[in-house]
């Protein structure tokens, strides 16, 4: 399929911004038909970019980078250090496809999807006539690790094994589009394509509106509607989960984005369980039936019982549940059997045999070495070919024959002769080039187009856009994101209506995504609970550090030495200092220890460590937060920065102030933006529990010190209650009044009683809890703390402090800590570990 030859006109000539743009000789130029002559479908965009100029375009792209950072868009790529979280690489200049050319691409992609689905059906459901009649060599199937024998015979609705697939296209120098790869297992990238569109359309608003670019939303709506319609239970509100490997997967950001956008529950393998050949998600409400699984886990890893016993990402018994027809898995388990590039040379014949049509999109020249003649061709032309593993799970590295020495070529040939069915040879495709913004100017880079297609009824629909992958350099033909490649938004011209003619149905009753989220996975609730705890623990540590830093700044003058000395002892009791401080305090040693707490990631309870735990926890539940909330969470990653060399305490104090404000913003956003469902309740419950525990430990450490009266004002400062105290008492802090303000007051959000009251309110509203359920262990523990706070006389406790009977004080607060630990353990057992097999109806 080639691009039509278009006569150029004078109005399509350009200069200025594109004056130095020059693709290498012998490659197809996507934007220009000749040097300085713009192709008609690029003309409007090129003119718009030239009107912006280099300086304004550079400014726009800086804004784009900020948006990417705020959204937390990342791609976890492997490197020498095993794993590295990289910012998503996006080029601000979109790739443009004309409406006519897109119709031809679309037709070819739909044909290809139908063909591949027919092949999978024959291999798993039919009598395998394609093998019997010689259309596919048997070694190409039975030697393929992705042919899953346990999945043979599993029936799927409408015989649709491939619900979603991607096709990588490249244009050769003669203008024809060629297929490089078919992605049928877990086709990735369409979530990133959606993110690219969001950002680029915002940056280039005028150009986007003027071009009448086809929208992407209808494709996702159609995919969601199709999965709902194909659910085995035929319920109006099927439960759909998106199965992910978890936060360490390279495309986890995309998984969370798609789950949030489509309204599906994001689940890991451990979140699911099979009971009576049915799949359930473990939620805080109990086990809830799952109707559809949109998987982002490789099929062989989906079931450790029948497929891969070493998998920790799968669900034991999932194959049996699919075999019983109780769950729809998208794509069907075993669909990756047709992802092998070794199948490419057989597709033209298969297309004629199965569809009675010529293959519209040819594949790149490929020779499977499992056939004698093809193996000979590869051996003779090894120096001009790319050699790959025949199967996607192969450990064989892709090598370029032109880059091998004579000795290396000989060794490679020997390996091919030993195991010929595991290798293919592929022609080198000279990729087409497109304009790319690099720092402050435009360059040409090789591109590959990844197009997405989804099942719809008895056919398929194509997303009117694509993920355009861009090479990392103008001379490197590889566009892999793992090795530093980038991406573009893809603009398909032709007005608002999609070329497929599909229109989302008009519904009399809206079907919001939230209606499908009937349960919160126990893992999600657990992570939200610990996110609340880590965030509160971090804030408490910062407030204590800020109190110490402010006094260390004044200590050399002598006025604060007493407070510094007592604070250092409190730090040691709270295990924030590794050694017991001397008296008088060694200010130099103490300053170094405080800075370590703030800047050293190796300190167990330091700020960096707590920030890391907070960030790791929030990454596991990023699908539960809005974009604004995620911006705040992303901002936390900027602190506290590098350890300062000049004025370290002053800089440290400023960093602490910034972090406390960011955490306050996070807390405020959670209060104002999260719906008052189980997610918010477990997040807030964790925060309240941690605050109660930290407050008890802190007050106990202060009151059992040698000179507690020196720390009454710092204690109020740390607990953000100094103003409350001054408004209530017009005297210097005393033990009784201090305990009244910090322990009993149920109107101050910083007091212990307030935390107990809020936790009791949450428990009454937790899933499955009853208003009168006095037997709940967690409720009993909180009521016991409430009884201790209200019935024990504060005067007696104050007298024990004044007379130095620290044992009485320690026992008082230890009883509170024991009750809080009981509460935490009871909530964990009841809602997070799901030891009670509660199955909800449905």
């Amino acid at each position: 399929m080639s691009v039509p030859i278009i006569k150029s006109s004078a109005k399509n000539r350009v200069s200025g911004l594109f004056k130095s743009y020059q693709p290498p000789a012998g490659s197809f130029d996507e934007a220009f038909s000749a040097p300085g002559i713009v192709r008609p479908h690029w003309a409007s965009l090129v003119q718009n970019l030239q009107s912006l100029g280099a300086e304004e375009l550079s400014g726009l792209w800086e804004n784009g980078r900020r948006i990417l950072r705020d959204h937390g868009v990342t791609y976890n790529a492997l490197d020498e250090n095993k794993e590295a979280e990289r910012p998503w690489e996006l080029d601000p200049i979109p790739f443009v496809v004309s409406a006519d050319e897109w119709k031809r691409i679309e037709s070819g992609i739909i044909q290809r999807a139908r063909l591949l689905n027919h092949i999978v059906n024959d291999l798993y459901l039919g009598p395998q006539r394609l093998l019997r009649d010689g259309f596919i060599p048997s070694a190409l199937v039975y030697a393929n690790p992705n042919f899953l024998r346990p999945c043979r015979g599993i029936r799927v609705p409408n015989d649709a094994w491939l619900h979603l697939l991607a096709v990588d296209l490249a244009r050769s120098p003669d203008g024809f589009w060629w297929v490089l790869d078919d992605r049928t297992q877990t086709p990735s990238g369409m979530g990133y394509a959606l993110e690219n569109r969001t950002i680029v359309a915002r940056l280039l608003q005028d150009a986007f509106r003027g071009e009448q670019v086809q929208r992407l939303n209808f494709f996702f709506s159609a995919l969601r509607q199709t999965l709902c319609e194909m659910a085995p239970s035929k319920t109006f509100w099927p439960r759909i989960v998106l199965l992910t490997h978890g936060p360490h997967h390279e495309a986890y950001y995309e998984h969370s984005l798609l789950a949030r956008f489509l309204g599906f529950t994001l689940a890991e393998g451990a979140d699911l369980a099979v009971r009576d050949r049915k799949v359930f998600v473990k939620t805080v409400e109990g086990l809830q039936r799952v109707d559809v699984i949109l998987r982002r886990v490789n099929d062989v890893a989906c079931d450790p019982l029948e497929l891969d016993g070493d998998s920790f990402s799968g669900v034991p018994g999932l194959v049996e549940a699919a075999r019983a027809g109780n769950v729809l898995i998208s794509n069907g388990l075993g669909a990756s059997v047709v992802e092998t590039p070794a199948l490419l040379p057989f597709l033209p014949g298969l297309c004629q045999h199965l569809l009675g049509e010529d293959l519209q999109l040819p594949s790149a020249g490929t020779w499977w070495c499992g056939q004698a003649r093809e193996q000979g061709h590869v051996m003779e032309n090894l120096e001009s070919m790319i050699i790959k593993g025949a199967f996607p799970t192969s450990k064989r590295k892709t090598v370029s024959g032109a880059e091998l020495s004579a000795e290396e070529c000989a060794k490679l040939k020997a390996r091919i002769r030993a195991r010929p069915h595991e290798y293919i040879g592929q022609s080198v495709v000279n990729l087409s080039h497109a304009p790319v913004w690099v720092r402050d100017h435009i360059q040409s880079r090789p591109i590959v187009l990844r197009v997405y297609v989804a099942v719809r009824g008895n056919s398929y629909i194509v997303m009117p856009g694509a993920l355009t992958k861009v090479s990392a350099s103008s001379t490197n033909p590889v566009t892999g994101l793992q090795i530093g490649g980038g991406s573009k938004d893809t603009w398909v011209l032709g007005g608002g209506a999609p070329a497929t003619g599909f229109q989302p149905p008009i519904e009399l009753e809206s079907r919001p995504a939230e209606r499908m989220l009937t349960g919160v996975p126990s893992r999600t609730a657990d992570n939200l609970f610990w996110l609340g705890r880590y965030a509160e623990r971090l804030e408490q540590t910062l407030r204590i550090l800020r109190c110490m830093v402010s006094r260390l700044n004044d200590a050399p003058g002598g006025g604060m030495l007493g407070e510094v000395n007592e604070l250092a002892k409190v730090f040691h009791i709270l295990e924030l200092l590794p050694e017991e401080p001397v008296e008088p305090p060694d200010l130099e040693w103490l300053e170094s220890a405080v800075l370590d707490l703030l800047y050293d990631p190796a300190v167990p309870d330091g700020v960096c460590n707590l920030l890391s735990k907070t960030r790791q926890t929030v990454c596991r539940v990023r699908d539960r937060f809005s974009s604004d909330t995620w911006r705040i969470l992303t901002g936390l990653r900027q602190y506290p920065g590098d350890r300062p060399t000049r004025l370290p305490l002053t800089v440290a104090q400023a960093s602490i102030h910034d972090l406390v404000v960011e955490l306050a913003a996070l807390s405020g956003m959670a209060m104002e933006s999260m719906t008052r469902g189980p997610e918010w309740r477990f997040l807030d419950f964790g925060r309240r529990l941690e605050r109660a525990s930290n407050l008890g430990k802190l007050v106990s450490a202060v009151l059992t010190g040698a000179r507690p009266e020196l720390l009454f004002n710092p204690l109020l400062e740390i607990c953000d209650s100094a103003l409350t105290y001054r408004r209530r008492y017009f005297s210097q802090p005393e033990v009784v009044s201090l305990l009244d303000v910090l322990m009993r007051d149920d109107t101050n959000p910083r007091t212990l009683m307030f935390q107990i009251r809020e936790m009791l309110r949450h428990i009454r509203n937790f899933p499955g809890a009853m208003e009168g359920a006095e037997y709940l262990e967690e409720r009993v523990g909180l009521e016991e703390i409430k009884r201790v706070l209200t019935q024990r006389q504060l005067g007696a406790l104050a007298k024990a402090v004044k007379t130095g009977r620290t044992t009485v004080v320690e026992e008082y607060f230890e009883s509170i800590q024991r009750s809080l630990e009981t509460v935490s353990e009871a909530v964990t057992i009841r809602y997070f570990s799901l030891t009670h097999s509660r199955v909800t109806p449905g």
Side-chain angles (χ1 to χ4, degrees):
M1 178 187 301
S2 65
V3 67
I5 299 174
I6 303 171
K7 293 182 180 180
S8 60
S9 61
K11 68 178 182 179
N12 288 341
R13 296 180 182 274
V14 297
S15 58
L17 193 64
F18 287 83
K19 192 171 184 179
S20 60
Y21 172 79
Q22 183 60 54
S27 63
F28 187 92
D29 188 349
E30 295 286 352
F32 295 83
S33 59
I37 308 300
V38 188
R39 297 189 188 278
H41 59 286
W42 278 80
S44 178
L45 175 63
V46 169
Q47 184 178 4
N48 187 278
L49 293 174
Q50 288 193 121
S51 66
L52 291 174
E55 185 175 349
E56 188 171 351
L57 185 57
S58 181
L60 282 174
W61 183 225
E62 282 304 314
N63 187 40
R65 289 181 181 277
R66 180 189 58 77
I67 297 172
L68 285 170
R69 288 194 301 269
D70 288 347
H71 288 190
V73 188
T74 57
Y75 186 83
N76 301 328
L78 299 178
D79 59 10
E80 294 109 4
N81 300 320
K82 302 291 177 101
E83 183 181 322
E85 188 180 79
R86 299 178 182 173
W88 179 248
E89 293 294 334
L90 170 61
D91 179 54
I93 302 176
F95 180 75
V96 185
V97 184
S98 68
D100 291 339
E101 185 171 22
W102 187 256
K103 287 179 182 178
R104 294 191 294 272
I105 291 175
E106 182 183 54
S107 177
I109 294 293
I110 290 175
Q111 181 201 55
R112 198 173 189 90
R114 291 170 50 224
L115 172 61
L116 293 174
N117 192 70
H118 274 297
I119 296 171
V120 178
N121 262 299
D122 180 77
L123 295 178
Y124 284 106
L125 286 179
Q128 297 187 330
R129 289 193 180 94
L130 298 179
L131 297 178
R132 185 190 63 190
D133 298 340
F135 285 95
I136 302 177
S138 58
L140 192 57
V141 174
Y142 293 125
N144 188 344
N146 287 333
F147 178 65
L148 306 182
R149 290 166 178 81
C151 297
R152 182 156 162 72
I154 295 178
R155 303 210 64 86
V156 293
N158 301 336
D159 292 335
W161 283 78
L162 303 179
H163 306 95
L164 180 68
L165 62 152
V167 180
D168 285 348
L169 300 177
R171 202 199 294 269
S172 61
D174 57 7
F176 284 87
W177 285 105
W178 296 80
V179 174
L180 297 180
D181 287 298
D182 298 296
R183 304 292 181 182
T184 61
Q185 181 159 224
T186 57
S188 63
M190 67 178 186
Y192 287 111
L194 184 64
E195 186 72 44
N196 288 355
R197 171 61 55 84
T198 301
I199 295 173
V200 174
R202 187 188 304 182
L203 297 178
L204 303 175
Q205 293 183 24
D206 294 339
F208 184 78
R209 294 193 189 103
E211 292 278 20
Q212 291 188 314
V213 181
Q214 293 189 32
R215 304 306 199 255
L216 304 181
N217 284 6
F218 94 91
F219 176 81
F220 294 94
S221 298
L223 172 63
R224 181 170 171 271
Q225 185 176 340
T226 295
L227 294 179
C228 290
E229 292 172 351
M230 298 177 77
S233 61
K234 302 301 179 186
T235 61
F236 189 67
W237 301 112
R239 295 187 179 98
I240 304 178
V241 301
L242 191 150
L243 182 61
T244 175
H245 282 283
H248 298 295
H249 189 267
E250 59 192 25
Y252 182 72
Y253 172 81
E254 179 187 35
H255 300 170
S256 60
L257 172 67
L258 288 175
R260 189 168 64 247
F261 188 76
L262 294 170
F264 299 162
T265 300
L266 186 65
E268 297 178 29
D271 295 328
L272 305 180
V274 175
R275 302 284 188 273
D276 299 325
R277 305 173 79 188
K278 298 180 180 67
V279 182
F280 296 87
V281 60
K282 305 170 187 175
T283 75
V284 293
E285 292 89 348
L287 296 177
Q288 292 193 347
R289 174 83 180 273
V290 173
D291 301 290
V292 180
I293 297 175
L294 178 59
R295 65 181 178 90
R296 283 297 176 265
V297 173
N298 291 348
D299 45 19
V300 73
C302 281
D303 187 347
L305 279 184
E306 296 200 48
L307 300 177
D308 181 4
D310 295 329
S311 171
F312 291 98
S313 303
V315 186
L318 184 59
V319 171
E320 182 60 25
R323 190 179 290 125
N326 291 326
V327 64
L328 170 69
I329 301 174
S330 174
N331 284 337
L333 295 177
S336 59
V337 67
V338 294
E339 194 168 286
T340 167
L343 187 65
L344 296 179
F346 301 95
L347 292 183
L350 288 167
C351 191
Q352 277 289 351
H353 175 67
L354 294 172
L355 304 181
E357 303 168 0
D358 291 331
L359 188 65
Q360 296 179 34
L361 286 172
S363 307
T366 307
W367 292 264
W368 177 51
C369 295
Q371 296 172 298
R373 186 176 65 179
E374 282 71 14
Q375 179 185 340
H377 178 81
V378 171
M379 294 294 195
E380 293 173 6
N381 300 277
L382 191 66
E383 292 77 7
S384 61
M385 284 191 168
I386 300 293
I387 307 300
K388 299 180 179 180
F391 309 116
T393 55
S394 172
K395 302 293 185 182
R396 313 292 180 192
K397 290 184 177 180
T398 299
V399 297
S400 172
E403 298 176 359
L404 300 178
S405 65
E407 182 181 357
E408 290 170 333
C409 278
K411 289 181 179 179
L412 179 57
K413 288 180 179 180
R415 291 196 296 269
I416 293 175
R417 291 191 188 98
R419 304 186 68 84
H421 63 281
E422 293 185 0
Y423 292 89
I424 66 159
Q426 205 166 55
S427 298
V428 178
V429 178
N430 190 3
L431 301 179
S432 61
H433 281 237
V436 175
W437 180 253
V438 181
R439 289 183 291 276
D440 59 355
H441 64 287
I442 290 177
Q443 289 184 1
S444 77
R445 293 281 176 87
I447 61 101
V448 167
L449 206 64
R450 176 166 289 186
V451 184
Y452 300 91
V453 57
V455 68
R456 184 62 189 163
N458 295 320
S459 186
Y460 286 86
I461 57 170
V462 177
M463 186 173 80
L467 180 70
T468 300
K469 299 188 291 181
V470 182
S471 175
S473 71
S474 58
T475 57
N476 186 356
V478 182
T479 59
L481 300 172
Q482 285 278 14
I483 58 174
S487 68
K488 284 176 172 287
D489 185 18
T490 307
W491 290 5
V492 176
L493 308 184
T500 56
F502 171 82
Q503 293 292 343
I506 298 174
E507 298 177 348
L508 297 179
E509 181 184 354
S510 62
R511 299 177 59 167
E514 290 74 16
R515 289 283 295 277
M516 302 174 71
L517 299 177
T518 55
V520 180
S522 299
R523 177 191 54 83
T524 299
D526 191 9
N527 281 305
L528 287 167
F529 171 78
W530 276 103
L531 174 59
R533 296 200 68 168
Y534 284 138
E536 182 61 32
R537 192 175 300 175
L538 175 60
E539 182 181 344
Q540 174 83 338
T541 302
L542 288 167
R543 289 181 176 278
I544 294 173
L545 280 172
R546 183 170 62 181
C547 184
M548 173 66 87
V549 168
S550 67
R551 280 147 182 84
L552 281 174
N553 272 325
D554 296 333
M560 292 289 184
L561 279 176
E563 288 189 14
V564 168
N565 185 56
E566 293 303 312
L567 269 176
K569 294 176 182 178
V570 170
F571 269 54
H572 180 64
I573 294 172
L574 297 178
E575 299 181 346
L576 295 176
L577 287 181
E579 303 173 18
E580 187 171 1
V582 297
E583 189 173 354
D586 182 344
L587 295 182
E588 186 176 345
W589 172 84
L590 193 54
E591 177 181 331
S592 177
V594 167
L595 292 175
D596 284 344
L597 279 167
L598 185 59
Y599 295 104
D600 189 352
V603 176
D605 294 313
V607 171
C608 288
N609 188 272
L610 289 173
L611 272 171
S612 177
K613 288 179 179 178
T614 303
R615 180 170 167 269
Q616 290 173 11
T617 307
V618 79
C619 281
R620 291 185 172 274
V621 288
R622 68 182 302 161
D623 60 306
R624 300 284 164 167
F625 293 106
S626 67
S627 298
D628 288 335
T629 306
W630 188 255
R631 277 191 199 93
I632 298 171
L633 292 166
T634 303
L636 288 175
R637 300 168 64 181
Q638 314 300 324
Y639 300 104
D642 297 327
R643 187 167 182 150
T645 55
R646 296 185 59 196
L647 301 175
L649 290 178
T650 302
V651 176
Q653 194 167 11
S655 296
I656 293 172
H657 282 318
D658 291 339
L659 265 173
V660 170
V661 170
E662 291 287 342
L663 288 169
L666 175 62
S667 177
M669 188 62 70
M671 288 295 295
E672 295 301 322
S673 298
M674 292 185 72
T675 56
R676 294 310 192 251
E679 296 103 323
W680 174 77
R681 292 199 178 279
F682 282 108
L683 174 68
D684 195 62
F685 188 88
R687 190 162 63 95
R688 301 295 174 189
L689 181 64
E690 187 69 25
R691 182 173 293 180
S693 177
N694 290 339
L695 178 62
K697 292 176 182 177
L698 178 62
V699 174
S700 176
V702 169
L703 295 184
T704 54
R707 301 176 64 189
E709 67 280 359
L710 288 178
L711 294 185
F712 287 172
N713 282 314
L715 179 59
L716 289 169
E717 177 187 323
I718 293 170
C719 297
D720 199 18
S721 298
L723 182 61
T724 303
Y725 187 92
R726 284 196 297 269
R727 285 180 174 175
R728 189 166 301 175
Y729 299 98
F730 298 96
S731 62
Q732 288 296 317
E734 296 182 358
V735 180
V736 174
S737 56
L738 189 77
L739 290 173
D740 180 55
V741 167
L742 294 181
M743 307 292 287
R744 280 188 177 176
D745 188 355
D746 64 355
T747 63
N748 181 0
R750 294 284 173 180
T751 66
L752 184 58
M753 184 64 84
F754 188 93
Q755 316 314 314
I756 302 305
R757 189 192 71 182
E758 290 300 297
M759 284 190 282
L760 283 170
R761 184 165 61 88
H762 287 318
I763 285 175
R764 286 192 290 269
N765 289 279
F766 277 166
M770 296 178 292
E771 184 65 29
E774 299 293 341
Y775 62 88
L776 289 178
E777 192 174 2
E778 54 268 34
R779 185 165 183 175
V780 171
L782 292 174
E783 293 288 358
E784 173 61 21
I785 299 174
K786 188 176 180 181
R787 184 191 65 78
V788 169
L789 289 175
T790 54
Q791 294 183 5
R792 289 287 297 269
Q793 294 296 320
L794 296 182
L797 193 62
K799 185 176 181 180
V801 173
K802 290 181 179 179
T803 57
R805 290 181 293 150
T806 57
T807 304
V808 174
V809 180
E810 288 173 352
E811 289 178 353
Y812 178 85
F813 285 99
E814 283 175 2
S815 68
I816 292 175
Q817 291 298 326
R818 285 194 298 269
S819 295
L820 289 173
E821 289 169 5
T822 299
V823 170
S824 178
E825 185 176 354
V827 169
T828 298
I829 292 173
R830 188 177 305 279
Y831 296 105
F832 307 150
S833 63
L834 208 71
T835 55
H836 303 77
S837 275
R838 295 172 285 126
V839 179
T840 59

